[in-house]
């Protein structure tokens, strides 16, 4: 059995210049999986607007980059809901380049984003995970201390099938 090579990478705040690589990673999840229930890849402009809406709120949008500057994965948080009573709760999103899943990139990203959120006073982090064909994401979140809090049945429709979502939560 071959041993996988160690991956050397750094977790950094994302910049506008990273968005083409971030979007390329996300493209796989939109077009080939149900990890995202988005059915059409957002345009470059839509991706930029989404990025700006996150960072303009002083919320973290992080990337993991190797020494050559290649983005291996990304994560960000956004408000869980718009109403002010939810102001201490965020929702996470995390996507890893398909060639680097299981190599520690996701763990490094989520640990850093949870640390940043906790430092500035957020209390809860929610993950909304598509339950169909996505056990890796469910297991990953649970390994980071998220607990399953509920299931919404058949709320997403993609690739001609209905999909359930799981609500997972972690206290920061």
């Amino acid at each position: 059995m071959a041993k996988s090579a160690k991956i050397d990478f750094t977790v950094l705040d994302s910049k506008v210049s990273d968005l083409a690589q971030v979007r390329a990673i996300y493209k796989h999840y939109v077009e080939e999986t149900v990890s995202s229930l988005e059915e059409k890849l957002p345009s470059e402009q839509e991706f930029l607007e989404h990025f700006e809406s996150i960072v303009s709120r002083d919320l973290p949008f992080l990337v993991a980059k190797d020494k050559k500057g290649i983005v291996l994965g990304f994560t960000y948080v956004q408000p869980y809901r718009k109403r002010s009573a939810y102001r201490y709760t965020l929702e996470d999103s995390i996507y890893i380049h398909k060639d680097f899943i299981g190599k520690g990139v996701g763990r490094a990203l989520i640990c850093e984003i949870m640390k940043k959120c906790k430092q500035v006073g957020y209390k809860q982090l929610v993950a909304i995970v598509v339950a169909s064909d996505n056990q890796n994401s469910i297991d990953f979140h649970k390994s980071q201390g998220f607990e399953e809090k509920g299931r919404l049945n058949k709320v997403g429709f993609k690739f001609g099938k209905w999909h359930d979502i799981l609500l997972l939560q972690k206290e920061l």
Side-chain angles (χ1 to χ4, degrees):
M1 179 183 285
K3 191 174 182 181
S4 65
K6 182 179 185 277
I7 299 171
D8 194 14
F9 63 89
T10 306
V11 174
L12 306 161
D13 289 328
S14 184
K15 298 181 171 125
V16 171
S17 59
D18 297 323
L19 293 184
Q21 291 185 73
V22 165
R23 186 171 173 264
I25 290 169
Y26 189 57
K27 181 179 193 246
H28 163 74
Y29 291 96
V30 171
E31 295 179 355
E32 299 179 37
T33 78
V34 294
S35 294
S36 168
L37 288 181
E38 197 144 25
E39 294 182 283
K40 181 181 177 224
L41 182 66
S43 69
E44 290 176 17
Q45 183 62 35
E46 289 168 326
F47 225 88
L48 174 63
E49 290 169 4
H50 183 63
F51 171 79
E52 288 175 342
S53 77
I54 291 164
V55 298
S56 70
R57 291 180 170 106
D58 293 323
L59 294 172
F61 192 121
L62 307 175
V63 291
K65 286 185 175 182
D66 69 10
K67 289 186 177 194
K68 295 178 184 176
I70 305 298
V71 175
L72 308 178
F74 67 96
T75 186
Y76 61 87
V77 292
Q78 58 191 349
Y80 174 64
R81 294 282 187 261
K82 290 181 182 180
R83 293 186 177 125
S84 65
Y86 295 109
R87 68 186 168 276
Y88 296 107
T89 303
L90 298 169
E91 178 185 340
D92 81 317
S93 291
I94 184 165
Y95 295 94
I96 310 305
H97 187 287
K98 64 182 180 176
D99 295 339
F100 296 97
I101 294 171
K103 311 263 188 213
V105 175
R107 185 173 317 278
L109 282 166
I110 202 156
C111 286
E112 184 64 21
I113 208 161
M114 287 189 300
K115 182 176 92 176
K116 286 179 176 278
C117 292
K118 186 176 180 176
Q119 285 174 342
V120 294
Y122 290 97
K123 303 298 182 191
Q124 302 292 330
L125 193 54
V126 173
I128 299 173
V129 179
V130 180
S132 315
D133 302 321
N134 205 10
Q135 193 62 45
N136 286 346
S137 184
I138 296 165
D139 292 344
F140 169 76
H141 279 88
K142 286 182 176 181
S143 77
Q144 299 307 304
F146 284 77
E147 296 177 3
E148 187 174 329
K149 298 296 182 177
R151 176 184 291 260
L152 300 175
N153 296 316
K154 298 180 181 178
V155 294
F157 189 79
K158 184 175 179 181
F159 299 145
K161 290 173 47 179
W162 288 101
H163 302 280
D164 300 351
I165 61 165
L166 292 181
L167 301 173
L168 298 116
Q169 179 180 354
K170 176 167 174 79
E171 186 172 340
L172 296 174

